[in-house]
Structure formats: structure tokens, C-alpha cells
Amino acid sequence: METVSENKCFGGVQGVYRHKSTVTNCDMTFGLFLPEEAKDGPVPLLWFLSGLTCTHENAMTKAGAQAWCAEQGIAIVFPDTSPRGDDVADDENYDLGKGAGFYVNATQDPWAPHYQMWDYIAEELPAFLGANFSVDLERQAISGHSMGGHGALTLAMNLPGRFRSVSAFAPICNPTASDWGRKQLTAYLGADEAAWAKHDASLMMRDTGFDGPVLVDTGTADQFYELLRPEALSQAVAERRQQATLRLQPGYDHSYFFISTFMEEHVSFHAEALYRD
């Protein structure tokens, strides 16, 4: 592991680290904030998965999460959104390739050799964090924005017992029902739609649900509202009678101004679940 940087932050440490990933077959970089309490023993861990075009750095510097995580004694990790490197396949469009891993294990060329982001987030990075940092893997929660909100919801519902709570900011809720979402799923996973279902939060909610609390915020002025399809998730929640709070926030868009406005509420929401016996 290479320590890229470490900075004192709200009594704790905001670090950036790089390591060789055997899953994505390239070097991966992530941000990790450890509160002051981590000096005395393992602390609960909150994941924040970022959206399209982002790296580990966007949420780490713009979301304002560290102050609230420090207040609650919670670590927060900011993974990258895709594999990186000169030999990693890319695309000229912003919604495919680098910065657009969609938190899936790609099965199609040219993506399959590196784009194994599901296994990286679900298996490799948690094990790496547990082995190298003072985090409690028995107390995990997950959140994310846009593509990362899609990842947070689908990972939480596909990994029962892993996360105590899940939240999302403007998540992509129903990619199988839009031409835009079907484009990425086809590129990474192929034409067999049966392979897509586990990566659609609305389908997963209807079929599986989540054994814990759910919080989702979406802005009514979100410029990508029609692509996000929050109404599909709302309908699935109602059909399953899932414990969930789904909120439309008047006038907010898709930006980090929106995320930072409601970050305190999301961290407090997760803290309640993480510290529940």
C-alpha cells in the first residue's frame, strides 16, 4: 500500500491510499477518513460510492461528510468509480469506461479484464480495509450519489447482512427501463437481460428488499430526473412494504451543493443503525 497523503481533519485523519488490486488488475486509489476514536480501536465504517465522471476525490472534498462522521465517531471510505491506467479500456462518452464502472463485474470485451467493480467493492476493498485500518467490518453502512446511489442500493440488497443501513442521493433507480441505462448494462454485461436484474434497484427492491432502514433523497430540479426514475423505486417500496424514507427535495439539483446540504442527515441516519445493538 502506498500512502498518497494524510491530513489532520476534524480531530481525525483524512488519508488517500493506493494499492494493487488483483480484482481490477490495476492500481486503485481510495480516500479514507478515520475519526479520532480510531486510535483506540475499530470504528464503524460508512461507504460512499460516487457517480459518473468522479474519482475518489469528488465526494471526499465536496460532500462535507468528515465533520459529521467525526461527530459520530464513524470512518468513511471514498472508493474510485472505475479501474484506472493506460491499459484500461475507455470510451469517449462520459457514461462508459473510466469514471463509469457502474459497480458491476463486466463480462464483455473490452471491459472484462479490468472492470470488476462489484467484486472490488463487495470483497477486495473491505478485506483490505479490515486488514490495514482500524475499522469494524461488523458495523457497516453504505451510501452513494447517482451511479453510486445505484451501486449502494444494489450492493445492499444483494449482500444481506452486510450493511445495517443504506442511503442514496439521486440514485439511478431503474436502469433496465430506460434506453440510456440499457446502453451501459448491454456494454458491460451483454444482451442477456437476466444478468441485469441484480443491478436494478427497483427490481431488487420488488424481489428482495433490504433488511434495514433506507433513506433516499432526490432533488425536484435534478437535470437528470427522467433518467433516474425515482418513481419506479417508490412504487417498488410500496409494493414490498419496505421500511424506507423517500424524499423529493424542492428546488435541488444533481450537484454536490445538494449532497452537502443533506449529508448531516444521512450520516446521522446511518449512525443510528450502526450503533444499534
Side-chain angles (χ1 to χ4, degrees):
M1 180 179 67
E2 174 190 354
T3 298
V4 178
S5 63
E6 288 184 333
N7 298 94
K8 185 81 170 180
C9 182
F10 293 101
V13 176
Q14 174 61 64
V16 176
Y17 308 95
R18 185 176 296 119
H19 71 116
K20 177 66 176 179
S21 167
T22 58
V23 169
T24 64
N25 194 30
C26 65
D27 288 342
M28 296 294 291
T29 304
F30 64 90
L32 176 68
F33 170 74
L34 290 171
E36 190 172 14
E37 289 85 347
K39 296 177 182 177
D40 301 320
V43 295
L45 178 63
L46 174 61
W47 293 76
F48 191 92
L49 307 184
S50 291
L52 285 165
T53 75
C54 292
T55 68
H56 69 280
E57 192 173 22
N58 297 72
M60 185 182 77
T61 59
K62 296 179 181 179
Q66 292 90 340
W68 311 119
C69 287
E71 188 174 281
Q72 300 287 354
I74 294 171
I76 183 168
V77 59
F78 306 97
D80 203 345
T81 57
S82 76
R84 306 282 175 176
D86 293 340
D87 61 341
V88 173
D90 200 7
D91 191 273
E92 62 183 10
N93 295 306
Y94 78 98
D95 54 2
L96 201 63
K98 293 179 185 178
F102 272 87
Y103 304 101
V104 303
N105 285 339
T107 59
Q108 307 299 302
D109 290 332
W111 315 109
H114 297 283
Y115 284 76
Q116 303 296 310
M117 288 301 295
W118 181 278
D119 282 352
Y120 178 69
I121 299 296
E123 304 298 336
E124 187 177 38
L125 187 53
F128 187 84
L129 294 174
N132 291 280
F133 299 95
S134 188
V135 295
D136 183 357
L137 297 183
E138 296 301 315
R139 292 184 292 166
Q140 296 187 70
I142 191 166
S143 184
H145 171 230
S146 193
M147 178 186 72
H150 139 84
L153 290 167
T154 55
L155 281 156
M157 287 186 279
N158 277 283
L159 300 172
R162 173 73 62 88
F163 302 105
R164 295 193 179 188
S165 52
V166 58
S167 75
F169 298 86
I172 301 169
C173 297
N174 191 204
T176 64
S178 70
D179 290 341
W180 179 75
R182 294 170 69 87
K183 167 192 168 183
Q184 287 87 33
L185 294 173
T186 300
Y188 288 132
L189 303 176
D192 182 5
E193 296 189 18
W196 301 356
K198 67 180 287 185
H199 301 293
D200 186 304
S202 297
L203 297 182
M204 285 300 302
M205 180 61 71
R206 187 174 293 110
D207 294 342
T208 302
F210 178 68
D211 185 20
V214 179
L215 172 63
V216 177
D217 279 317
T218 304
T220 62
D222 193 306
Q223 55 270 48
F224 303 109
Y225 193 94
E226 299 304 320
L227 299 178
L228 302 178
R229 294 182 53 81
E231 68 282 353
L233 181 62
S234 178
Q235 183 177 350
V237 164
E239 289 179 7
R240 189 164 185 85
R241 302 184 184 182
Q242 167 75 44
Q243 176 189 2
T245 300
L246 309 180
R247 307 188 299 194
L248 294 178
Q249 299 293 359
Y252 285 91
D253 59 18
H254 202 70
S255 71
Y256 272 91
F257 297 110
F258 157 62
I259 297 170
S260 61
T261 298
F262 299 101
M263 181 57 73
E264 179 184 7
E265 293 181 43
H266 281 243
V267 172
S268 296
F269 163 80
H270 290 298
E272 182 178 350
L274 288 168
Y275 285 112
R276 187 182 301 126
D277 292 333

mmCIF file of all heavy atoms in Angstrom, residues 1 3-17 30-40 43-46 60 65-67 69-71 73-78 129 132-135:
data_model
loop_
_atom_site.group_PDB
_atom_site.id
_atom_site.type_symbol
_atom_site.label_atom_id
_atom_site.label_comp_id
_atom_site.label_asym_id
_atom_site.label_seq_id
_atom_site.Cartn_x
_atom_site.Cartn_y
_atom_site.Cartn_z
ATOM 1 N N MET A 1 0.837 -1.194 0.000
ATOM 2 C CA MET A 1 0.000 0.000 0.000
ATOM 3 C C MET A 1 0.876 1.249 0.000
ATOM 4 O O MET A 1 1.846 1.328 0.744
ATOM 5 C CB MET A 1 -0.917 0.014 1.222
ATOM 6 C CG MET A 1 -1.825 1.226 1.301
ATOM 7 S SD MET A 1 -2.913 1.211 2.736
ATOM 8 C CE MET A 1 -1.723 1.379 4.082
ATOM 9 N N THR A 3 0.877 5.313 0.710
ATOM 10 C CA THR A 3 0.169 6.446 1.297
ATOM 11 C C THR A 3 0.387 7.659 0.403
ATOM 12 O O THR A 3 1.496 8.186 0.303
ATOM 13 C CB THR A 3 0.669 6.740 2.715
ATOM 14 O OG1 THR A 3 0.421 5.604 3.550
ATOM 15 C CG2 THR A 3 -0.060 7.949 3.305
ATOM 16 N N VAL A 4 -0.683 8.089 -0.267
ATOM 17 C CA VAL A 4 -0.586 9.240 -1.167
ATOM 18 C C VAL A 4 -0.559 10.530 -0.360
ATOM 19 O O VAL A 4 0.219 11.442 -0.646
ATOM 20 C CB VAL A 4 -1.753 9.240 -2.169
ATOM 21 C CG1 VAL A 4 -1.689 10.466 -3.076
ATOM 22 C CG2 VAL A 4 -1.744 7.959 -2.997
ATOM 23 N N SER A 5 -1.430 10.606 0.648
ATOM 24 C CA SER A 5 -1.473 11.793 1.501
ATOM 25 C C SER A 5 -2.225 11.458 2.775
ATOM 26 O O SER A 5 -3.071 10.551 2.797
ATOM 27 C CB SER A 5 -2.159 12.966 0.796
ATOM 28 O OG SER A 5 -3.518 12.659 0.512
ATOM 29 N N GLU A 6 -1.915 12.182 3.841
ATOM 30 C CA GLU A 6 -2.670 12.117 5.099
ATOM 31 C C GLU A 6 -2.734 13.518 5.677
ATOM 32 O O GLU A 6 -1.709 14.191 5.785
ATOM 33 C CB GLU A 6 -2.020 11.153 6.099
ATOM 34 C CG GLU A 6 -2.179 9.689 5.720
ATOM 35 C CD GLU A 6 -1.623 8.735 6.771
ATOM 36 O OE1 GLU A 6 -0.697 9.141 7.497
ATOM 37 O OE2 GLU A 6 -2.119 7.592 6.850
ATOM 38 N N ASN A 7 -3.946 13.949 6.023
ATOM 39 C CA ASN A 7 -4.137 15.283 6.562
ATOM 40 C C ASN A 7 -5.001 15.224 7.821
ATOM 41 O O ASN A 7 -6.009 14.516 7.859
ATOM 42 C CB ASN A 7 -4.833 16.195 5.540
ATOM 43 C CG ASN A 7 -4.009 16.384 4.282
ATOM 44 O OD1 ASN A 7 -4.189 15.680 3.313
ATOM 45 N ND2 ASN A 7 -3.103 17.344 4.304
ATOM 46 N N LYS A 8 -4.603 15.994 8.825
ATOM 47 C CA LYS A 8 -5.420 16.136 10.031
ATOM 48 C C LYS A 8 -6.758 16.744 9.631
ATOM 49 O O LYS A 8 -6.820 17.716 8.860
ATOM 50 C CB LYS A 8 -4.719 17.052 11.028
ATOM 51 C CG LYS A 8 -5.414 17.176 12.373
ATOM 52 C CD LYS A 8 -5.102 16.015 13.285
ATOM 53 C CE LYS A 8 -5.609 16.280 14.705
ATOM 54 N NZ LYS A 8 -5.305 15.150 15.608
ATOM 55 N N CYS A 9 -7.856 16.173 10.151
ATOM 56 C CA CYS A 9 -9.182 16.599 9.701
ATOM 57 C C CYS A 9 -10.195 16.332 10.809
ATOM 58 O O CYS A 9 -10.415 15.176 11.179
ATOM 59 C CB CYS A 9 -9.544 15.840 8.430
ATOM 60 S SG CYS A 9 -11.126 16.255 7.693
ATOM 61 N N PHE A 10 -10.773 17.394 11.381
ATOM 62 C CA PHE A 10 -11.794 17.277 12.425
ATOM 63 C C PHE A 10 -11.361 16.315 13.537
ATOM 64 O O PHE A 10 -12.143 15.485 13.995
ATOM 65 C CB PHE A 10 -13.130 16.847 11.828
ATOM 66 C CG PHE A 10 -13.745 17.876 10.923
ATOM 67 C CD1 PHE A 10 -13.659 17.751 9.544
ATOM 68 C CD2 PHE A 10 -14.378 18.992 11.454
ATOM 69 C CE1 PHE A 10 -14.211 18.713 8.703
ATOM 70 C CE2 PHE A 10 -14.923 19.967 10.635
ATOM 71 C CZ PHE A 10 -14.848 19.832 9.263
ATOM 72 N N GLY A 11 -10.098 16.428 13.940
ATOM 73 C CA GLY A 11 -9.575 15.606 15.020
ATOM 74 C C GLY A 11 -9.088 14.247 14.571
ATOM 75 O O GLY A 11 -8.366 13.568 15.309
ATOM 76 N N GLY A 12 -9.469 13.839 13.372
ATOM 77 C CA GLY A 12 -9.046 12.556 12.830
ATOM 78 C C GLY A 12 -8.082 12.739 11.679
ATOM 79 O O GLY A 12 -7.373 13.750 11.584
ATOM 80 N N VAL A 13 -8.050 11.774 10.762
ATOM 81 C CA VAL A 13 -7.124 11.814 9.622
ATOM 82 C C VAL A 13 -7.890 11.494 8.343
ATOM 83 O O VAL A 13 -8.587 10.476 8.256
ATOM 84 C CB VAL A 13 -5.983 10.804 9.791
ATOM 85 C CG1 VAL A 13 -5.084 10.799 8.552
ATOM 86 C CG2 VAL A 13 -5.156 11.122 11.031
ATOM 87 N N GLN A 14 -7.740 12.386 7.353
ATOM 88 C CA GLN A 14 -8.228 12.104 6.010
ATOM 89 C C GLN A 14 -7.047 11.635 5.180
ATOM 90 O O GLN A 14 -6.122 12.396 4.896
ATOM 91 C CB GLN A 14 -8.866 13.334 5.376
ATOM 92 C CG GLN A 14 -9.269 13.136 3.917
ATOM 93 C CD GLN A 14 -10.295 12.034 3.734
ATOM 94 O OE1 GLN A 14 -11.414 12.144 4.217
ATOM 95 N NE2 GLN A 14 -9.929 10.966 3.020
ATOM 96 N N GLY A 15 -7.076 10.365 4.807
ATOM 97 C CA GLY A 15 -5.984 9.803 4.035
ATOM 98 C C GLY A 15 -6.403 9.446 2.623
ATOM 99 O O GLY A 15 -7.594 9.273 2.330
ATOM 100 N N VAL A 16 -5.423 9.364 1.750
ATOM 101 C CA VAL A 16 -5.605 8.845 0.394
ATOM 102 C C VAL A 16 -4.546 7.766 0.194
ATOM 103 O O VAL A 16 -3.358 7.995 0.464
ATOM 104 C CB VAL A 16 -5.459 9.943 -0.675
ATOM 105 C CG1 VAL A 16 -5.559 9.349 -2.073
ATOM 106 C CG2 VAL A 16 -6.511 11.026 -0.476
ATOM 107 N N TYR A 17 -4.981 6.601 -0.274
ATOM 108 C CA TYR A 17 -4.097 5.442 -0.350
ATOM 109 C C TYR A 17 -4.239 4.763 -1.710
ATOM 110 O O TYR A 17 -5.311 4.794 -2.329
ATOM 111 C CB TYR A 17 -4.424 4.455 0.771
ATOM 112 C CG TYR A 17 -4.453 5.110 2.125
ATOM 113 C CD1 TYR A 17 -5.652 5.552 2.678
ATOM 114 C CD2 TYR A 17 -3.279 5.317 2.846
ATOM 115 C CE1 TYR A 17 -5.683 6.177 3.910
ATOM 116 C CE2 TYR A 17 -3.298 5.945 4.089
ATOM 117 C CZ TYR A 17 -4.508 6.381 4.618
ATOM 118 O OH TYR A 17 -4.529 7.006 5.844
ATOM 119 N N PHE A 30 -8.125 5.111 -3.119
ATOM 120 C CA PHE A 30 -9.323 5.404 -2.330
ATOM 121 C C PHE A 30 -8.991 6.414 -1.238
ATOM 122 O O PHE A 30 -7.841 6.552 -0.808
ATOM 123 C CB PHE A 30 -9.910 4.130 -1.705
ATOM 124 C CG PHE A 30 -9.011 3.453 -0.696
ATOM 125 C CD1 PHE A 30 -9.065 3.770 0.655
ATOM 126 C CD2 PHE A 30 -8.103 2.476 -1.108
ATOM 127 C CE1 PHE A 30 -8.237 3.146 1.577
ATOM 128 C CE2 PHE A 30 -7.268 1.842 -0.197
ATOM 129 C CZ PHE A 30 -7.330 2.176 1.151
ATOM 130 N N GLY A 31 -10.021 7.145 -0.810
ATOM 131 C CA GLY A 31 -9.901 8.034 0.333
ATOM 132 C C GLY A 31 -10.519 7.377 1.548
ATOM 133 O O GLY A 31 -11.526 6.661 1.439
ATOM 134 N N LEU A 32 -9.951 7.609 2.712
ATOM 135 C CA LEU A 32 -10.484 7.061 3.964
ATOM 136 C C LEU A 32 -10.321 8.080 5.078
ATOM 137 O O LEU A 32 -9.201 8.519 5.364
ATOM 138 C CB LEU A 32 -9.762 5.770 4.339
ATOM 139 C CG LEU A 32 -10.170 5.144 5.680
ATOM 140 C CD1 LEU A 32 -11.609 4.627 5.624
ATOM 141 C CD2 LEU A 32 -9.210 4.015 6.065
ATOM 142 N N PHE A 33 -11.437 8.471 5.678
ATOM 143 C CA PHE A 33 -11.398 9.332 6.865
ATOM 144 C C PHE A 33 -11.560 8.460 8.093
ATOM 145 O O PHE A 33 -12.531 7.705 8.211
ATOM 146 C CB PHE A 33 -12.511 10.376 6.829
ATOM 147 C CG PHE A 33 -12.641 11.120 8.137
ATOM 148 C CD1 PHE A 33 -11.708 12.080 8.503
ATOM 149 C CD2 PHE A 33 -13.685 10.834 9.013
ATOM 150 C CE1 PHE A 33 -11.816 12.753 9.721
ATOM 151 C CE2 PHE A 33 -13.800 11.500 10.220
ATOM 152 C CZ PHE A 33 -12.867 12.469 10.578
ATOM 153 N N LEU A 34 -10.618 8.581 9.007
ATOM 154 C CA LEU A 34 -10.691 7.890 10.291
ATOM 155 C C LEU A 34 -10.867 8.924 11.396
ATOM 156 O O LEU A 34 -10.046 9.830 11.537
ATOM 157 C CB LEU A 34 -9.423 7.084 10.547
ATOM 158 C CG LEU A 34 -9.212 5.845 9.673
ATOM 159 C CD1 LEU A 34 -7.816 5.279 9.890
ATOM 160 C CD2 LEU A 34 -10.264 4.789 9.967
ATOM 161 N N PRO A 35 -11.933 8.823 12.193
ATOM 162 C CA PRO A 35 -12.129 9.774 13.285
ATOM 163 C C PRO A 35 -11.121 9.528 14.402
ATOM 164 O O PRO A 35 -10.422 8.500 14.418
ATOM 165 C CB PRO A 35 -13.553 9.467 13.747
ATOM 166 C CG PRO A 35 -13.707 8.009 13.483
ATOM 167 C CD PRO A 35 -12.951 7.758 12.185
ATOM 168 N N GLU A 36 -11.054 10.440 15.339
ATOM 169 C CA GLU A 36 -10.092 10.343 16.446
ATOM 170 C C GLU A 36 -10.256 9.050 17.226
ATOM 171 O O GLU A 36 -9.279 8.470 17.714
ATOM 172 C CB GLU A 36 -10.268 11.548 17.365
ATOM 173 C CG GLU A 36 -9.194 11.697 18.414
ATOM 174 C CD GLU A 36 -9.306 13.003 19.172
ATOM 175 O OE1 GLU A 36 -10.363 13.661 19.075
ATOM 176 O OE2 GLU A 36 -8.338 13.366 19.861
ATOM 177 N N GLU A 37 -11.489 8.545 17.324
ATOM 178 C CA GLU A 37 -11.759 7.333 18.099
ATOM 179 C C GLU A 37 -11.055 6.104 17.538
ATOM 180 O O GLU A 37 -10.866 5.103 18.241
ATOM 181 C CB GLU A 37 -13.267 7.073 18.152
ATOM 182 C CG GLU A 37 -14.053 8.041 19.008
ATOM 183 C CD GLU A 37 -14.453 9.313 18.275
ATOM 184 O OE1 GLU A 37 -13.904 9.552 17.165
ATOM 185 O OE2 GLU A 37 -15.296 10.051 18.796
ATOM 186 N N ALA A 38 -10.656 6.153 16.260
ATOM 187 C CA ALA A 38 -9.989 5.002 15.650
ATOM 188 C C ALA A 38 -8.632 4.719 16.287
ATOM 189 O O ALA A 38 -8.104 3.607 16.146
ATOM 190 C CB ALA A 38 -9.831 5.230 14.148
ATOM 191 N N LYS A 39 -8.065 5.686 17.002
ATOM 192 C CA LYS A 39 -6.806 5.461 17.707
ATOM 193 C C LYS A 39 -6.975 4.442 18.828
ATOM 194 O O LYS A 39 -6.008 3.778 19.226
ATOM 195 C CB LYS A 39 -6.294 6.772 18.300
ATOM 196 C CG LYS A 39 -5.930 7.834 17.285
ATOM 197 C CD LYS A 39 -5.509 9.125 17.984
ATOM 198 C CE LYS A 39 -5.187 10.231 16.997
ATOM 199 N NZ LYS A 39 -4.843 11.505 17.697
ATOM 200 N N ASP A 40 -8.193 4.316 19.323
ATOM 201 C CA ASP A 40 -8.454 3.454 20.485
ATOM 202 C C ASP A 40 -9.065 2.111 20.126
ATOM 203 O O ASP A 40 -9.259 1.258 20.998
ATOM 204 C CB ASP A 40 -9.375 4.180 21.475
ATOM 205 C CG ASP A 40 -8.784 5.481 21.974
ATOM 206 O OD1 ASP A 40 -7.564 5.512 22.227
ATOM 207 O OD2 ASP A 40 -9.533 6.475 22.092
ATOM 208 N N VAL A 43 -13.680 1.330 14.512
ATOM 209 C CA VAL A 43 -14.871 2.180 14.486
ATOM 210 C C VAL A 43 -15.782 1.730 13.339
ATOM 211 O O VAL A 43 -15.336 1.081 12.389
ATOM 212 C CB VAL A 43 -14.486 3.662 14.297
ATOM 213 C CG1 VAL A 43 -13.691 4.162 15.497
ATOM 214 C CG2 VAL A 43 -13.701 3.855 12.998
ATOM 215 N N PRO A 44 -17.074 2.051 13.414
ATOM 216 C CA PRO A 44 -17.987 1.702 12.315
ATOM 217 C C PRO A 44 -17.538 2.330 11.005
ATOM 218 O O PRO A 44 -16.878 3.374 10.978
ATOM 219 C CB PRO A 44 -19.329 2.276 12.775
ATOM 220 C CG PRO A 44 -19.215 2.421 14.248
ATOM 221 C CD PRO A 44 -17.780 2.730 14.517
ATOM 222 N N LEU A 45 -17.950 1.694 9.893
ATOM 223 C CA LEU A 45 -17.495 2.113 8.570
ATOM 224 C C LEU A 45 -18.680 2.442 7.676
ATOM 225 O O LEU A 45 -19.574 1.618 7.475
ATOM 226 C CB LEU A 45 -16.674 0.997 7.925
ATOM 227 C CG LEU A 45 -16.162 1.241 6.503
ATOM 228 C CD1 LEU A 45 -15.185 2.421 6.467
ATOM 229 C CD2 LEU A 45 -15.503 -0.017 5.942
ATOM 230 N N LEU A 46 -18.664 3.654 7.116
ATOM 231 C CA LEU A 46 -19.647 4.097 6.135
ATOM 232 C C LEU A 46 -18.972 4.173 4.769
ATOM 233 O O LEU A 46 -17.905 4.758 4.634
ATOM 234 C CB LEU A 46 -20.207 5.466 6.531
ATOM 235 C CG LEU A 46 -21.146 6.161 5.539
ATOM 236 C CD1 LEU A 46 -22.392 5.325 5.275
ATOM 237 C CD2 LEU A 46 -21.526 7.564 6.051
ATOM 238 N N MET A 60 -14.936 13.208 -1.368
ATOM 239 C CA MET A 60 -14.008 13.439 -0.260
ATOM 240 C C MET A 60 -13.805 14.921 0.001
ATOM 241 O O MET A 60 -13.678 15.354 1.157
ATOM 242 C CB MET A 60 -12.668 12.770 -0.589
ATOM 243 C CG MET A 60 -11.644 12.821 0.525
ATOM 244 S SD MET A 60 -10.078 12.047 0.031
ATOM 245 C CE MET A 60 -9.371 13.343 -1.012
ATOM 246 N N ALA A 65 -18.668 15.377 4.446
ATOM 247 C CA ALA A 65 -19.038 14.253 5.311
ATOM 248 C C ALA A 65 -18.149 14.119 6.539
ATOM 249 O O ALA A 65 -18.597 13.617 7.573
ATOM 250 C CB ALA A 65 -18.989 12.955 4.502
ATOM 251 N N GLN A 66 -16.904 14.557 6.453
ATOM 252 C CA GLN A 66 -15.964 14.275 7.543
ATOM 253 C C GLN A 66 -16.393 14.904 8.858
ATOM 254 O O GLN A 66 -16.240 14.295 9.924
ATOM 255 C CB GLN A 66 -14.562 14.763 7.170
ATOM 256 C CG GLN A 66 -13.902 13.981 6.036
ATOM 257 C CD GLN A 66 -14.198 14.548 4.664
ATOM 258 O OE1 GLN A 66 -15.163 15.294 4.487
ATOM 259 N NE2 GLN A 66 -13.368 14.229 3.681
ATOM 260 N N ALA A 67 -16.927 16.108 8.814
ATOM 261 C CA ALA A 67 -17.331 16.773 10.060
ATOM 262 C C ALA A 67 -18.388 15.971 10.792
ATOM 263 O O ALA A 67 -18.326 15.801 12.019
ATOM 264 C CB ALA A 67 -17.856 18.177 9.753
ATOM 265 N N CYS A 69 -19.117 12.712 10.299
ATOM 266 C CA CYS A 69 -18.593 11.409 10.689
ATOM 267 C C CYS A 69 -17.716 11.529 11.937
ATOM 268 O O CYS A 69 -17.735 10.643 12.802
ATOM 269 C CB CYS A 69 -17.796 10.792 9.537
ATOM 270 S SG CYS A 69 -18.833 10.189 8.183
ATOM 271 N N ALA A 70 -16.951 12.606 12.040
ATOM 272 C CA ALA A 70 -16.151 12.833 13.241
ATOM 273 C C ALA A 70 -17.048 12.978 14.460
ATOM 274 O O ALA A 70 -16.751 12.447 15.542
ATOM 275 C CB ALA A 70 -15.283 14.082 13.064
ATOM 276 N N GLU A 71 -18.152 13.683 14.299
ATOM 277 C CA GLU A 71 -19.095 13.876 15.405
ATOM 278 C C GLU A 71 -19.676 12.552 15.882
ATOM 279 O O GLU A 71 -19.945 12.362 17.070
ATOM 280 C CB GLU A 71 -20.217 14.810 14.954
ATOM 281 C CG GLU A 71 -21.151 15.254 16.045
ATOM 282 C CD GLU A 71 -22.136 16.295 15.555
ATOM 283 O OE1 GLU A 71 -21.732 17.476 15.456
ATOM 284 O OE2 GLU A 71 -23.285 15.925 15.264
ATOM 285 N N GLY A 73 -18.161 9.520 15.353
ATOM 286 C CA GLY A 73 -17.132 8.506 15.554
ATOM 287 C C GLY A 73 -17.152 7.415 14.505
ATOM 288 O O GLY A 73 -16.922 6.237 14.810
ATOM 289 N N ILE A 74 -17.410 7.801 13.253
ATOM 290 C CA ILE A 74 -17.560 6.852 12.154
ATOM 291 C C ILE A 74 -16.482 7.103 11.105
ATOM 292 O O ILE A 74 -16.190 8.253 10.760
ATOM 293 C CB ILE A 74 -18.952 6.999 11.511
ATOM 294 C CG1 ILE A 74 -20.043 6.576 12.497
ATOM 295 C CG2 ILE A 74 -19.065 6.199 10.218
ATOM 296 C CD1 ILE A 74 -21.444 6.896 12.010
ATOM 297 N N ALA A 75 -15.893 6.032 10.570
ATOM 298 C CA ALA A 75 -14.995 6.141 9.419
ATOM 299 C C ALA A 75 -15.828 6.193 8.146
ATOM 300 O O ALA A 75 -16.918 5.632 8.078
ATOM 301 C CB ALA A 75 -14.051 4.952 9.367
ATOM 302 N N ILE A 76 -15.300 6.864 7.127
ATOM 303 C CA ILE A 76 -15.978 6.883 5.828
ATOM 304 C C ILE A 76 -14.950 6.667 4.735
ATOM 305 O O ILE A 76 -13.884 7.293 4.729
ATOM 306 C CB ILE A 76 -16.783 8.192 5.606
ATOM 307 C CG1 ILE A 76 -17.530 8.140 4.268
ATOM 308 C CG2 ILE A 76 -15.910 9.428 5.727
ATOM 309 C CD1 ILE A 76 -18.570 9.241 4.108
ATOM 310 N N VAL A 77 -15.263 5.750 3.818
ATOM 311 C CA VAL A 77 -14.354 5.421 2.724
ATOM 312 C C VAL A 77 -14.950 5.913 1.410
ATOM 313 O O VAL A 77 -16.150 5.799 1.170
ATOM 314 C CB VAL A 77 -14.057 3.907 2.667
ATOM 315 C CG1 VAL A 77 -15.307 3.079 2.478
ATOM 316 C CG2 VAL A 77 -13.030 3.591 1.576
ATOM 317 N N PHE A 78 -14.088 6.468 0.574
ATOM 318 C CA PHE A 78 -14.468 7.002 -0.735
ATOM 319 C C PHE A 78 -13.701 6.223 -1.816
ATOM 320 O O PHE A 78 -12.587 6.600 -2.188
ATOM 321 C CB PHE A 78 -14.113 8.484 -0.847
ATOM 322 C CG PHE A 78 -14.662 9.343 0.260
ATOM 323 C CD1 PHE A 78 -13.871 9.673 1.360
ATOM 324 C CD2 PHE A 78 -15.955 9.833 0.207
ATOM 325 C CE1 PHE A 78 -14.363 10.480 2.376
ATOM 326 C CE2 PHE A 78 -16.462 10.642 1.223
ATOM 327 C CZ PHE A 78 -15.663 10.962 2.311
ATOM 328 N N LEU A 129 -9.333 -3.010 3.827
ATOM 329 C CA LEU A 129 -9.535 -2.037 4.896
ATOM 330 C C LEU A 129 -9.457 -2.700 6.265
ATOM 331 O O LEU A 129 -8.832 -2.177 7.197
ATOM 332 C CB LEU A 129 -10.893 -1.351 4.729
ATOM 333 C CG LEU A 129 -11.060 -0.458 3.497
ATOM 334 C CD1 LEU A 129 -12.502 0.032 3.398
ATOM 335 C CD2 LEU A 129 -10.101 0.716 3.527
ATOM 336 N N ASN A 132 -5.835 -3.429 7.250
ATOM 337 C CA ASN A 132 -4.856 -2.345 7.336
ATOM 338 C C ASN A 132 -5.280 -1.138 8.160
ATOM 339 O O ASN A 132 -4.448 -0.278 8.462
ATOM 340 C CB ASN A 132 -4.510 -1.869 5.918
ATOM 341 C CG ASN A 132 -3.719 -2.892 5.133
ATOM 342 O OD1 ASN A 132 -2.514 -3.026 5.299
ATOM 343 N ND2 ASN A 132 -4.410 -3.638 4.272
ATOM 344 N N PHE A 133 -6.560 -1.064 8.529
ATOM 345 C CA PHE A 133 -7.042 0.119 9.243
ATOM 346 C C PHE A 133 -7.969 -0.298 10.391
ATOM 347 O O PHE A 133 -8.499 -1.413 10.407
ATOM 348 C CB PHE A 133 -7.792 1.051 8.280
ATOM 349 C CG PHE A 133 -6.952 1.573 7.160
ATOM 350 C CD1 PHE A 133 -6.951 0.939 5.920
ATOM 351 C CD2 PHE A 133 -6.143 2.690 7.331
ATOM 352 C CE1 PHE A 133 -6.176 1.407 4.873
ATOM 353 C CE2 PHE A 133 -5.361 3.164 6.289
ATOM 354 C CZ PHE A 133 -5.375 2.526 5.056
ATOM 355 N N SER A 134 -8.171 0.630 11.298
ATOM 356 C CA SER A 134 -8.967 0.356 12.495
ATOM 357 C C SER A 134 -10.450 0.578 12.213
ATOM 358 O O SER A 134 -11.061 1.550 12.686
ATOM 359 C CB SER A 134 -8.499 1.250 13.657
ATOM 360 O OG SER A 134 -9.126 0.875 14.859
ATOM 361 N N VAL A 135 -11.037 -0.334 11.414
ATOM 362 C CA VAL A 135 -12.456 -0.262 11.080
ATOM 363 C C VAL A 135 -13.130 -1.570 11.467
ATOM 364 O O VAL A 135 -12.524 -2.640 11.425
ATOM 365 C CB VAL A 135 -12.683 0.024 9.582
ATOM 366 C CG1 VAL A 135 -12.149 1.411 9.219
ATOM 367 C CG2 VAL A 135 -12.036 -1.038 8.704
#
